[in-house]
Amino acid sequence: MREFTGVERAPHRALLRALGFTDGEMERPLVGVASAFSEIVPGHIHLNAVAQAVKDGVTAAGCKPVLFPVIGVCDGLAMGHAGMRYSLPSRELIADSIETMALAHCFDALVLVPNCDKIVPAMLMAAARLNLPAIVVSGGPMLAGRSRSGEKLSLSSVFEAVGAVKAGRMSEDELREVESAACPTCGSCSGMFTANSMNCLCEAIGMALPGNGTAPAVSAERLRLAKESGAKIAELLEKDIRPRDILTEGAFRNALTADMALGCSSNTVLHLQAIAKEAGFALPLSVINEVSRKTPNLCRLSPAGEDSMEDLHRAGGVPCVLKELGGLIDQSLPTVTGKPLRENLAGAPEPDGAVIRRVNNPYAGTGGLTALFGNIGSCVVKRSAVAPDMLKRTLTARVFEGEEDASRAIFAGEIRPGDIVVIRYEGEAGGPGMREMLTPTSAIAGAGLDAALLTDGRFSGATRGAAIGHVSPEAASGGVIALIRDGDLISLDIPGETVNLLVDGEELARRRREFAPPPEKELTGWLARYRDRIKREEKP
C-alpha cells in the first residue's frame, strides 16, 4: 500500500480504518481479489468459497486481501434469445471494471477468480492491460451427469435432446430425464466447452497453477489450489513477475498448441486474440493454421467425444498433455509458479493412451481448430468435432437473417441432408454482440441431420458438427455472406482450409449493386454504444 503512506495520505488511511484495517494490515501489500460470484451462474455459485480460500492464502503469505465483485453472464441461460447479445460484449465491461477497481484503489497485485466463458478471458485481458502482478485461479469444472443407463451427460446433451424431441426421435419424458441429470454439481459445464477451454489455456499460457483447468469444482483440491494461488501472489510481488513477463508471443503459441491438442472451443480464437491485443501484439488467424498443421489432436472430450473434464483430470490434466507434446511446447518460458514451464511439468504422468493419447497415436495428425479462407471471408471451425464425411463437401445454402428463424426452420424439418444453414446479421455489429448458436447446431445434431452451418455469429464450445463461425467481414459490414442466396452452392474443404461461395464474380458484383441491408435493430443502453464502437472500428 505504498500509495497510502505519508502525512498527506491520512484521509485515505482514515477510510481504510473504517473498513477495519489495523496499522499492521496497512503496512502490507494490498491484493485485490476479483471474484465473479453470483447466484445466477452455476459456474460461479461456489466462488465465495474459492475466493475465501484465496484470501486465506494471501493473508498467510503476509499480504492484505480485499475482495471485489465482477459481473458474469451464464451463456447457457442466455442462449437462444436476445440476452446472448450481452455475453461477448460483457467481456469488455469486466476488463474495464477490474482496471477501474485496481487503479482507483491502488492495488499492488491481483488474484483473479473467474470460471465461465467470457469472464476468464476478460480477467486475462485486465491482467495484461494493468500489468500488475497477477494470478488466475478458476472455480473448476462441473462433474459429468449420468443417465439411468450410465451414459455421460452434459449441458450439450440437453440442447441436442431438444432437437431429438422435435425430430420425433425422443419423448418428452426422456428429455426430462436428461434435463434432470445433465448438470449435477456447481462448476463450469463438464465438457471441453469455452469456459473449460480457457481455464486449461490459463495453465498453458503460464498464468495459473497446474490443475487450474481440470480440478473439479466440488473437490478439496480446488480449495487447496485457491490457497496456493493466494499465497503465490506474495512471491510474484517479491520477484516483480508481471503478466507481460509471462504473456509473450511464445506463451500464446504454447496456448494455441495446447488448444489444438486438447480440442478446445473455437471461441478461444476470439479470446486469445483479444488478450494478445492487450499484451501489445497481434495474433493473426494464419498462426492458427500454422500451429494446427504441426500439432496432433490428443484428446476428444465432450462434445467431440465421450470423455469429460474429470476424466482429463484423472489422466493427468493439462501438464500431462503439455509434457507429451515435447518440443512443440517452449518449456523454457516463465510462469506464475516463479519457475519455467519445464519444472511445472516435471512430475506429470505419462498419457493413459485413451483420454490422452500419445503423439505417435493421436486422434488426428492436426489440431482441433482450423481457420478457413475463401471468397466468403475468413472463419473458424472446430475440426475435431466434425464428422469425416463432412470435412470436404459441396452444400446447398439455406439462408436466414437471424438465429430464431433458422432454429424454427430446423425444428420444423425444413432443412435437408446436404444443406448448409447460413445465419447472418449475428456478428459483433450486426447482432450486435456475436451471439452463440448452440440452439440451431444442437437441433441439427439432435435431429441427426447431415447438414452444416455457416454464420457471422459464433458457437458455444458445446457445439459439434460442421459449424463454421466468426465469418469476417460480417454481413452488417457488407461481407460476401450478405450476398448468399437460397440454393447457392458452397464448397467446404476443411483439410484444404477453404470455404467458397460457388457464384461467379460477375453475378456477385450484380448482387452487390442491388444489395440493400435490413434496418438496424432498435437498441438502447450500452449495447447500442457497443454496436456503434464496433462499426467505427471496422471503418477503413
Side-chain angles (χ1 to χ4, degrees), residues 433-455:
M434 209 176 192
R435 290 194 293 177
E436 289 186 346
M437 302 287 149
L438 184 55
T439 297
T441 58
S442 296
I444 290 171
L449 277 171
D450 179 39
L453 194 149
L454 177 79
T455 182

Side-chain angles (χ1 to χ4, degrees), residues 102-123:
L103 296 185
H105 302 106
C106 304
F107 295 153
D108 296 299
L110 292 167
V111 182
L112 305 168
V113 188
N115 210 27
C116 289
D117 291 25
K118 311 308 163 299
I119 298 87
V120 181
M123 290 193 176

Side-chain angles (χ1 to χ4, degrees), residues 203 208-215 221 225 228 318-319 335-337 344-345:
E203 290 187 53
L209 299 183
N212 179 74
T214 57
E221 183 177 357
L225 183 69
E228 290 164 2
V318 176
T335 70
V336 289
T337 65
N344 298 348
L345 307 182

Side-chain angles (χ1 to χ4, degrees), residues 192-379:
M192 188 56 82
F193 311 151
T194 306
N196 290 326
S197 295
M198 289 306 303
N199 285 329
C200 287
L201 296 190
C202 285
E203 290 187 53
I205 211 166
M207 286 296 295
L209 299 183
N212 179 74
T214 57
V218 293
S219 66
E221 183 177 357
R222 176 59 55 179
L223 296 180
R224 292 195 298 271
L225 183 69
K227 289 180 183 178
E228 290 164 2
S229 299
K232 184 60 67 172
I233 200 67
E235 181 181 337
L236 296 175
L237 267 166
E238 182 183 355
K239 294 181 177 179
D240 196 28
I241 298 173
R242 297 172 181 261
R244 289 186 205 166
D245 299 326
I246 295 169
L247 295 174
T248 62
E249 292 190 48
F252 279 87
R253 283 185 171 268
N254 278 356
L256 281 173
T257 302
D259 193 322
M260 300 305 168
L262 288 164
C264 291
S265 164
S266 60
N267 283 323
T268 57
V269 175
L270 292 171
H271 297 325
L272 288 173
Q273 287 181 320
I275 299 161
K277 183 178 179 181
E278 295 286 358
F281 54 87
L283 190 65
L285 274 182
S286 58
V287 177
I288 307 296
N289 288 348
E290 178 190 335
V291 173
S292 183
R293 290 183 200 121
K294 62 184 181 182
T295 306
N297 180 220
L298 304 183
C299 302
R300 286 283 166 94
L301 282 82
S302 174
E306 297 299 318
D307 295 322
S308 62
M309 294 304 296
E310 63 198 85
D311 299 315
L312 178 61
H313 187 65
R314 280 193 293 267
V318 176
C320 177
V321 174
L322 297 180
K323 186 177 180 181
E324 178 63 13
L325 289 169
L328 294 173
I329 294 288
D330 185 345
Q331 298 185 21
S332 69
L333 297 180
T335 70
V336 289
T337 65
K339 303 172 184 176
L341 181 59
R342 179 181 298 106
E343 293 188 38
N344 298 348
L345 307 182
E350 297 296 309
D352 64 351
V355 179
I356 304 172
R357 289 196 175 183
R358 307 301 302 247
V359 291
N360 59 4
N361 182 36
Y363 282 101
T366 55
L369 298 180
T370 298
L372 305 177
F373 302 91
N375 65 356
I376 292 175
S378 61
C379 42

